[in-house]
Amino acid sequence: MAIALHGVGVSFGPVEAARDISLAIPSGEFVSLLGPSGCGKSTLLSVVAGLETASQGSVTVTGQAGMVFQEAALFPWRTLIGNVAFGLEMRGDRRLSKSERLARAADALRLVHLSRFADSYPHQLSGGMRQRAALARALVLDPDILLMDEPFGALDAQTRSLLQAELLTIWERTRKTVLFVTHSLDEALFLSDRIVLLSARPGRVVGDYWIDAPRPRDPRTDAALAALRSRLLAQLSHEIETVARAEHDTDWHAETDAPRVPPPPPVLENVGADI
Amino acid sequence: MKSPTIPLPVRPLRISANRGRDSEHPTEGAPPAGTERRPPRAAPRLASGATSWLVPILLLLTWEVASATGILPARILPAPGSVWRAAADLAISGDLWRHLAVSAARAVTGLLIGGGLGFAFGILTGASRFAEGLLDGTVQMLRTIPNLALIPLVIVWFGIGEEAKVFLIAVGVFFPLYLNTYHGVRSVDQSLIEMARSYGLGGTALFRQVLLPGAIPSILVGLRFALGSMWLTLIAAEALAAESGIGFMTTTAREFMQTDVVLVGTILYALLGKLADSLAKLLERRLLPWHTAYQPTPTTRP
């Protein structure tokens, strides 16, 4: 197992972010953590990354992990290649000479097709390009595990589906273990081997689905995938409603105050679209 | 069929468009698509360039003429020519350089002491919540005292020697550097800090790799404010009492009614201020090639 969680609970003072989460992820698997906003999925990722500590349970991570955030978080004062090389500088890879580091950073940039912009500064690039550079910074360490925290959440729909396809290509080539946090059902369906559905806070595992549909996936042509999507959507809507109820006054009702129009579409208009 | 009102709105529009571009990029020399567009573009630029020089030149001429004809007495305002001669005399005798060196040394010493402390305290309160709670309130309180209001106290403490001047300058540059350093460290993008932490960065490495480079734009703004404050304080301190320096030179000249030398001193202060500002700008361009605000040409996304 690349990642193993046993009865993990995370609390911040009185706020319980996640409760009793057990999850075993074999290496090479692409797993999406799906759930409504504030369900503790990002917190869980931080626990796996070692940025937060679990209040209960045990976390076992085998191998090195690289992280990609929603914001590209590139240093504006470094060029792209300098940003990618940062990953190498920090991981104590002092044995590598500067030229070796730059060579490996250049390789990583090639992987995300940004070689031409190696000497550009982040502010000269589009959001999608910056996010690809952030991916290169995680990949340059050749980690066993990629932890991605809504990496495409801030991008427009077109750029988003482009980057999703690019991520799949890279994943198919490198077969890294990926733990991918998203609140987009369609994104999770398009990318993952497995979708772990989390409940509203405190986050608990309420669904664990393996998807064996061939890639590239399209629920419009794949009936089994469309059926799975409907099931997941129903379950997810329930969780979203729970969150919404917690965020509204008590006189609020989903059926009357936020009637779902149009009803959940049975077909996909856009792979990258949010739910 | 041609109505005379039709071409009218077109022409003023084109002229104003040309003017706008010229004032934004006065050195832009690349010709656009057609060469026939160059003459109309060059003409207003030349005109506006000449226009901006017209008033200063006219003023100088009037000044010279008024002095030559005796309308403007030399003790009120000596002729531009005699100011120039006074400057040349002072330069040849070496007095100019001696006073200049003394003043510059005072300014730089004050800047290094006050600026260094302001920078250090700003880093401290910016990076540590504890230091902020401990020190920031006091510093903000002291900041409200204009540094020139300290002159009587400073004379009591230090007399009228070099220490008094350096102290006043140090106080004057401390606050702008402190404030902007503190603010710069505080406003470093939180997502960068989080990312760096995920790579195991902390302590001094986090400071060196993330906080300091992130704060530099703001620190340089502080430096430019500090330079302004530095010259202002220097002038006030030197006017107070001095045995050398530009302030001493002008004060002595005033006592002997050498208005031309007084003017030389005034112009020197202006030139020094301009020089310091240009150096700060150069520093910005050198240190911040990545910052959009300091790019010589606007960058476009590819």
Side-chain angles (χ1 to χ4, degrees):
Chain A
M1 289 295 133
I3 302 168
L5 306 180
H6 290 290
V8 168
V10 190
S11 304
F12 301 102
V15 181
E16 194 179 9
R19 181 190 293 174
D20 192 26
I21 293 192
S22 294
L23 202 58
I25 299 171
S27 63
E29 201 169 60
F30 195 128
V31 179
S32 285
L33 283 179
L34 180 68
S37 59
C39 72
K41 50 195 193 300
S42 291
T43 308
L44 211 57
L45 200 73
S46 298
V47 167
V48 174
L51 296 174
E52 307 275 1
T53 44
S55 320
Q56 285 114 40
S58 72
V59 181
T60 319
V61 178
T62 315
Q64 205 183 34
M67 196 143 181
V68 182
F69 300 89
Q70 181 170 353
E71 307 87 24
L74 301 173
F75 292 130
W77 51 86
R78 285 187 180 223
T79 58
L80 277 205
I81 195 152
N83 266 292
V84 175
F86 172 79
L88 289 170
E89 288 168 34
M90 283 315 113
R91 276 293 152 92
D93 250 338
R94 296 286 176 206
R95 288 161 294 147
L96 287 177
S97 71
K98 192 177 180 191
S99 58
E100 277 174 303
R101 283 202 301 264
L102 288 179
R104 282 179 60 176
D107 287 342
L109 277 179
R110 206 167 303 127
L111 202 59
V112 296
H113 309 288
L114 276 175
S115 297
R116 270 200 302 142
F117 303 99
D119 297 320
S120 300
Y121 285 102
H123 74 88
Q124 296 169 302
L125 308 174
S126 70
M129 292 163 91
R130 274 181 258 180
Q131 204 51 292
R132 273 150 62 205
L135 180 59
R137 181 179 56 199
L139 288 171
V140 73
L141 293 159
D142 197 21
D144 310 293
I145 303 164
L146 267 183
L147 302 174
M148 308 184 83
D149 191 359
E150 298 193 36
F152 310 140
L155 302 174
D156 61 86
Q158 284 95 334
T159 312
R160 195 173 180 167
S161 50
L162 226 101
L163 260 70
Q164 287 167 349
E166 209 166 314
L167 175 64
L168 267 190
T169 314
I170 290 170
W171 175 73
E172 275 163 3
R173 203 180 321 157
T174 58
R175 287 287 163 177
K176 298 192 181 304
T177 312
V178 180
L179 188 55
F180 190 97
V181 164
T182 180
H183 59 264
S184 162
L185 170 58
D186 290 327
E187 185 167 70
L189 275 174
F190 181 72
L191 293 171
S192 354
D193 292 325
R194 180 177 165 196
I195 297 178
V196 175
L197 193 67
L198 294 182
S199 69
R201 191 155 52 203
R204 284 159 291 118
V205 178
V206 290
D208 198 344
Y209 300 87
W210 273 263
I211 311 166
D212 48 13
R215 294 181 174 92
R217 294 188 184 135
D218 189 348
R220 280 174 298 191
T221 52
D222 192 326
L225 203 60
L228 178 63
R229 184 179 187 277
S230 305
R231 256 180 79 191
L232 274 161
L233 189 62
Q235 215 175 348
L236 190 60
S237 302
H238 171 73
E239 298 301 336
I240 290 170
E241 230 173 86
T242 310
V243 173
R245 255 200 308 279
E247 291 177 353
H248 284 80
D249 290 337
T250 42
D251 60 349
W252 183 89
H253 298 288
E255 297 76 27
T256 51
D257 291 304
R260 234 176 271 126
V261 263
V267 291
L268 260 178
E269 283 302 320
N270 191 319
V271 174
D274 278 346
I275 36 164
Chain B
M1 286 299 281
K2 266 187 185 174
S3 158
T5 54
I6 288 170
L8 265 174
V10 177
R11 280 183 66 194
L13 261 176
R14 211 170 65 193
I15 289 165
S16 69
N18 275 337
R19 282 233 176 113
R21 291 185 87 175
D22 283 346
S23 60
E24 265 180 58
H25 308 291
T27 52
E28 191 183 70
T35 38
E36 73 278 1
R37 283 193 62 191
R38 279 202 80 176
R41 283 196 67 191
R45 182 195 307 167
L46 192 70
S48 76
T51 315
S52 67
W53 282 103
L54 211 61
V55 176
I57 288 171
L58 214 65
L59 274 173
L60 264 176
L61 276 176
T62 318
W63 179 8
E64 182 72 59
V65 169
S67 297
T69 52
I71 298 171
L72 198 62
R75 66 166 49 180
I76 301 294
L77 204 63
S82 66
V83 175
W84 177 250
R85 271 191 301 280
D89 288 345
L90 283 166
I92 290 163
S93 74
D95 281 353
L96 184 74
W97 311 118
R98 194 165 53 81
H99 292 308
L100 201 62
V102 169
S103 288
R106 278 176 193 145
V108 171
T109 313
L111 179 68
L112 286 180
I113 295 172
L117 283 173
F119 173 76
F121 274 80
I123 293 287
L124 203 64
T125 52
S128 145
R129 293 274 171 198
F130 175 72
E132 184 195 18
L134 191 70
L135 298 168
D136 188 57
T138 312
V139 174
Q140 299 292 352
M141 206 164 63
L142 291 174
R143 187 170 68 91
T144 55
I145 305 170
N147 67 334
L148 297 183
L150 292 174
I151 286 177
L153 203 58
V154 166
I155 291 175
V156 172
W157 289 345
F158 300 103
I160 52 167
E162 287 306 296
E163 297 90 342
K165 297 176 189 62
V166 171
F167 179 84
L168 279 173
I169 294 168
V171 171
V173 299
F174 174 86
F175 293 104
L177 261 167
Y178 168 80
L179 276 181
N180 287 283
T181 305
Y182 163 73
H183 180 255
V185 173
R186 268 298 144 85
S187 51
V188 171
D189 190 348
Q190 203 57 40
S191 69
L192 288 182
I193 298 174
E194 207 176 299
M195 185 280 295
R197 281 198 206 282
S198 83
Y199 278 87
L201 229 66
T204 48
L206 182 73
F207 171 74
R208 211 162 32 82
Q209 293 278 353
V210 187
L211 296 183
L212 187 62
I216 278 184
S218 182
I219 293 171
L220 288 177
V221 169
L223 180 67
R224 286 181 71 179
F225 276 116
L227 289 173
S229 171
M230 176 183 83
W231 292 120
L232 197 73
T233 317
L234 178 76
I235 293 164
E238 288 192 336
L240 186 69
E243 287 111 45
S244 57
I246 302 168
F248 167 77
M249 189 180 85
T250 49
T251 313
T252 319
R254 171 178 55 88
E255 280 164 16
F256 293 102
M257 294 305 277
Q258 294 168 318
T259 321
D260 48 358
V261 177
V262 174
L263 271 174
V264 170
T266 312
I267 293 167
L268 269 181
Y269 278 134
L271 290 178
L272 283 174
K274 179 72 194 154
L275 181 73
D277 200 54
S278 301
L279 284 176
K281 262 191 204 164
L282 190 75
L283 206 62
E284 279 177 347
R285 215 163 282 174
R286 270 291 171 80
L287 288 177
L288 309 171
W290 51 272
H291 204 291
T292 35
Y294 305 109
Q295 301 290 312
T297 49
T299 46
T300 46
R301 287 180 174 183

